[in-house]
Amino acid sequence: MSRIISFNRVFSCGKYKPCNKKYCTAAEKKHATRGRENGIEKHATFASAKIGPFFQSPPKVENQYTGDAVLQSYVKRFIPNQIREPIETDLIRFGERVATEIYELGLQCEREPPQLIQYDAWGNRVDRLITSPAWKRQHDIAAEEGLIATAYEEKYGEWSRLYQIVKLFLYSPSSGLYSCPLAMTDGAARLIKQLPSTYSWVKDCAYSHLTSRDPTQFWTSGQWMTERRGGSDVASGTETIAVPQGDGSYRLHGYKWFSSATDANMTLTLARVQGQDGSITQGTKGLSLFYLEVFDDQKKLNNIQVEKMKNKLGTRQLPTAELLLDGAVAYRISEEGRGVAGISNMLTISRIHNALSSASGMRRILSMARDYSTRRTAFGDYLKNYPLHVQTLARMEVEVRAATLLVLEVARLLGREDTGIASDQESLLLRLLTPLAKLYTAKQAMSVVSEGLECFGGQGYIEDTGLPGLLRDSQVLTIWEGTTNILSLDVLRAITKSKGEVLVAFHDDVISKVTKVSRVQELQDQGHRVKEATLQVMNFVQKNPDKLNMAARDLAYSLTRIYMGAILLDHAVECGLTQTDTQTARRWCEKDLSLVVTNHKLGHYNSSKEDLRLVYEHYTG
């Protein structure tokens, strides 16, 4: 009997070592693949099984409500006991649905992106947009779950909006990007709801569809603002012309360069009204807001041609197209020349949706990374038992908790404004916090989701896992509804237009929150840091008005970090100073809360010539 040496694969180093058996059994011989090297037979574990016996367990997608301590504690803290029970019951149920059925649908939306058929077999222009069954199912689920309706039924008064935002927070990471048309639908519903009585026909026509729980009646809305010159500069970028008709309607002629949710039932868009002499008014004063139904009574496109689908870095599940409006029938729903003012309510909603998508996307990747750390072994132990790995997850957790609390706080203020009970200070605070929340959480999302992918090693880079899409889809959050710089300038605009009142409201709210902390020994130092940073930033704004344009981004970061610190401290105190809440507040307050002051001292805002020289050295374009 010839001696057979058995080898087992050692995963950590890739080498082989002999097993302890002197001889293999007959069964082992039978299942071994033999080879001869220098007269010695050997068999390897992989030879019979081809791919080996080990398979890595994938991360579990958990119920994102029951698995999120901050989400639960905020709901319990603010929503009154008498109405909280049915809300929490629904959130727990929905959290489970999101982690199972809806999650699988979201992955299917990624696998089956929309397609455009422009011509039929006989050369006729048809412009038919094909979306997957999963995308259509997301539409029905959104209606069934009242993801828009909840905020407008106002069944729970001022808490209806918070309830809706929490449901959207749970839904967004599993939605296959259906959260995007829902954001625009929510914005359209709020805008139409607040239209004066002269536009009651629009409410009768569209509002009931936008807020319906019946999937057969539920409409989504687009938001067609961006043109070839455009981006955020709609004043100089909008070239679409609105030609008045005798019946009160208009015919729109223009090219919409970036229209998301192309399969929506209706849209809101900007255009310039053409005078009887053919003249139009340029700039912001020439823009009016229009309501347009995408399909006519025969279910054909309303004089719209779909020129091409956008080939995007991410959000591939979402149909986004370039559209030619060739006499599309539309109706003006703002005063002539007051279109930009008309979309302000819509922008508030869509920016809040952007922030909740950022925060919930971070929560999803962190939740999965946390679970994976209990399943993945390396160097003989589970990842959760390595202090360095847990420290990385903890740093991510601090970011996610801060972002989540900011989004929830903005939602709470929005709910008060929706129901007409917000104080002047709360309305001012909402005006300032909305762009801050959008710009800062989007930057957090890019960082946290990237770090989260790294927690999965090579698997985080493999498309089949569904993980890379989380990073691709996060990138749009820094761009949609205004880039970081555009939103930073919007913060300055809010300060200027309110004559500084938004900063007064900000200061007073922060100080009222940290005052509670002054009586809590564990957090006194952190409260003092937030207070000092607030005073330093207010002082900088007051003394350096000439530097605010250059400092706008750092100012926005400083205001956001300060406010996040304040709400983390406030939450820790109000929730009984739990160890995790206290630790989160402490760690957040270790940041540079007054970044704009730090960089001012370093001379970063003294001259733009240094930046120009640095960036454009040797540039010959």
Side-chain angles (χ1 to χ4, degrees):
M1 181 176 180
S2 61
R3 184 178 181 186
I4 300 176
I5 302 176
S6 175
F7 286 80
N8 291 323
R9 185 75 182 265
V10 180
F11 289 81
S12 59
C13 64
K15 296 180 180 179
Y16 289 88
K17 64 180 181 181
C19 70
N20 293 327
K21 292 183 179 181
K22 186 175 182 179
Y23 298 104
C24 293
T25 65
E28 289 171 328
K29 290 180 183 179
K30 181 179 178 181
H31 292 289
T33 298
R34 300 181 179 182
R36 291 186 176 275
E37 293 180 13
N38 300 322
I40 299 177
E41 289 185 340
K42 67 179 181 179
H43 73 268
T45 301
F46 287 109
S48 62
K50 304 299 183 187
I51 57 175
F54 175 78
F55 293 89
Q56 178 61 52
S57 297
K60 177 185 176 183
V61 179
E62 66 177 350
N63 185 322
Q64 206 158 305
Y65 183 72
T66 59
D68 191 332
V70 171
L71 207 56
Q72 291 183 75
S73 61
Y74 192 93
V75 167
K76 290 177 181 177
R77 176 184 165 192
F78 280 103
I79 298 182
N81 293 336
Q82 62 269 27
I83 63 172
R84 192 176 68 234
E85 183 177 349
I87 289 176
E88 276 208 300
T89 299
D90 183 56
L91 292 175
I92 292 169
R93 176 203 59 80
F94 185 58
E96 191 61 33
R97 189 181 189 187
V98 163
T100 51
E101 174 196 0
I102 297 174
Y103 176 69
E104 292 300 325
L105 289 171
L107 294 178
Q108 187 180 343
C109 289
E110 175 83 21
R111 293 191 299 268
E112 301 172 3
Q115 296 180 341
L116 172 65
I117 299 176
Q118 286 184 299
Y119 298 91
D120 66 12
W122 308 100
N124 298 304
R125 185 76 182 250
V126 292
D127 285 350
R128 189 164 68 249
L129 186 63
I130 308 298
T131 56
S132 73
W135 183 261
K136 294 179 175 66
R137 183 64 187 133
Q138 294 283 18
H139 168 277
D140 294 351
I141 288 172
E144 294 164 1
E145 293 288 350
L147 295 182
I148 301 301
T150 297
Y152 297 92
E153 293 166 343
E154 296 186 0
K155 180 179 178 181
Y156 298 105
E158 66 175 289
W159 308 112
S160 296
R161 179 65 76 174
L162 179 60
Y163 178 21
Q164 178 219 25
I165 293 298
V166 174
K167 287 197 78 167
L168 287 165
F169 187 98
L170 300 175
Y171 175 73
S172 180
S174 292
S175 70
L177 260 295
Y178 206 80
S179 54
C180 179
L182 291 185
M184 293 182 282
T185 301
D186 198 357
R190 190 169 193 255
L191 185 152
I192 291 173
K193 180 183 178 182
Q194 296 181 350
L195 287 175
S197 58
T198 50
Y199 300 104
S200 60
W201 59 270
V202 183
K203 296 182 183 180
D204 296 338
C205 185
Y207 182 74
S208 60
H209 285 294
L210 297 172
T211 58
S212 177
R213 286 179 179 264
D214 181 350
T216 65
Q217 297 297 315
F218 178 57
W219 282 8
T220 57
S221 176
Q223 190 172 299
W224 300 352
M225 305 297 169
T226 305
E227 302 193 12
R228 281 174 169 157
R229 293 186 182 181
S232 299
D233 186 9
V234 294
S236 62
T238 302
E239 298 176 307
T240 300
I241 304 301
V243 181
Q245 306 298 300
D247 60 358
S249 67
Y250 292 76
R251 293 278 184 167
L252 301 192
H253 298 267
Y255 198 90
K256 298 298 181 179
W257 188 76
F258 203 98
S259 59
S260 288
T262 310
D263 62 332
N265 304 87
M266 57 155 285
T267 191
L268 299 175
T269 189
L270 294 171
R272 301 183 188 279
V273 175
Q274 186 180 68
Q276 291 183 351
D277 60 353
S279 64
I280 58 171
T281 302
Q282 298 295 338
T284 303
K285 293 181 179 180
L287 293 176
S288 299
L289 182 64
F290 290 85
Y291 164 80
L292 182 157
E293 293 185 13
V294 178
F295 302 94
D296 61 21
D297 294 337
Q298 284 74 45
K299 306 299 181 184
K300 294 182 178 180
L301 287 171
N302 175 10
N303 297 304
I304 300 167
Q305 290 185 3
V306 185
E307 294 302 311
K308 64 176 290 187
M309 297 291 287
K310 289 294 193 181
N311 185 12
K312 300 168 289 181
L313 167 68
T315 67
R316 298 170 183 173
Q317 315 92 312
L318 173 70
T320 306
E322 295 182 25
L323 304 175
L324 175 64
L325 306 186
D326 188 19
V329 179
Y331 297 87
R332 182 169 53 82
I333 58 170
S334 73
E335 295 179 26
E336 192 168 322
R338 294 282 296 165
V340 173
I343 65 174
S344 60
N345 281 324
M346 185 170 60
L347 288 175
T348 295
I349 295 294
S350 53
R351 286 171 177 175
I352 292 172
H353 275 257
N354 201 100
L356 78 85
S357 293
S358 297
S360 62
M362 288 188 275
R363 174 54 69 195
R364 170 57 56 82
I365 193 72
L366 181 53
S367 171
M368 295 176 78
R370 178 175 65 178
D371 181 76
Y372 194 65
S373 73
T374 69
R375 302 173 187 273
R376 173 64 171 164
T377 58
F379 305 107
D381 207 349
Y382 288 102
L383 296 181
K384 71 181 181 66
N385 295 327
Y386 291 102
L388 184 59
H389 187 74
V390 176
Q391 180 192 71
T392 301
L393 294 177
R395 288 174 176 172
M396 294 163 65
E397 181 70 34
V398 171
E399 297 292 325
V400 178
R401 289 189 179 212
T404 300
L405 282 179
L406 179 57
V407 169
L408 295 176
E409 190 70 3
V410 170
R412 185 181 69 83
L413 292 171
L414 181 63
R416 292 181 63 78
E417 188 169 86
D418 281 346
T419 51
I421 62 175
S423 66
D424 290 343
Q425 177 176 321
E426 288 172 327
S427 294
L428 288 166
L429 195 57
L430 179 63
R431 172 64 183 93
L432 179 63
L433 292 182
T434 298
L436 291 178
K438 189 277 179 188
L439 72 88
Y440 197 86
T441 59
K443 285 298 188 184
Q444 285 178 298
M446 286 303 301
S447 175
V448 170
V449 174
S450 178
E451 188 74 73
L453 289 193
E454 197 173 332
C455 292
F456 294 92
Q459 289 296 87
Y461 204 67
I462 302 301
E463 288 289 350
D464 295 349
T465 65
L467 295 169
L470 294 173
L471 183 61
R472 285 199 310 272
D473 292 345
S474 293
Q475 182 64 73
V476 77
L477 298 170
T478 64
I479 299 170
W480 188 48
E481 298 299 16
T483 62
T484 307
N485 284 350
I486 290 295
L487 269 292
S488 298
L489 294 174
D490 186 57
V491 170
L492 292 189
R493 191 156 45 247
I495 294 170
T496 302
K497 289 191 72 172
S498 69
K499 298 181 180 179
E501 288 300 311
V502 293
L503 286 182
V504 174
F506 175 90
H507 170 272
D508 292 348
D509 194 60
V510 168
I511 298 303
S512 70
K513 285 177 168 57
V514 299
T515 298
K516 301 177 187 177
V517 182
S518 63
R519 300 186 291 272
V520 179
Q521 186 174 356
E522 299 99 306
L523 295 172
Q524 279 182 349
D525 290 345
Q526 288 71 30
H528 179 72
R529 287 203 65 194
V530 172
K531 183 177 180 180
E532 284 300 305
T534 305
L535 297 175
Q536 288 173 5
V537 171
M538 297 300 116
N539 187 55
F540 169 81
V541 172
Q542 187 175 10
K543 291 187 175 181
N544 299 279
D546 57 319
K547 296 181 179 178
L548 291 183
N549 272 301
M550 259 189 97
R553 190 183 181 109
D554 291 341
L555 174 62
Y557 279 28
S558 300
L559 292 172
T560 312
R561 289 181 182 179
I562 287 169
Y563 200 77
M564 284 176 160
I567 57 178
L568 284 167
L569 289 167
D570 184 55
H571 193 71
V573 172
E574 293 296 333
C575 291
L577 295 172
T578 67
Q579 188 173 358
T580 51
D581 286 334
T582 302
Q583 182 182 8
T584 302
R586 282 176 175 166
R587 290 197 177 185
W588 184 266
C589 293
E590 291 170 0
K591 292 179 180 287
D592 184 350
L593 302 177
S594 53
L595 181 65
V596 68
V597 176
T598 301
N599 286 338
H600 174 53
K601 291 178 180 177
L602 293 172
H604 288 193
Y605 316 129
N606 288 344
S607 172
S608 61
K609 291 181 180 179
E610 294 178 1
D611 292 339
L612 283 167
R613 188 181 305 114
L614 181 63
V615 172
Y616 293 100
E617 184 178 20
H618 291 303
Y619 175 69
T620 59

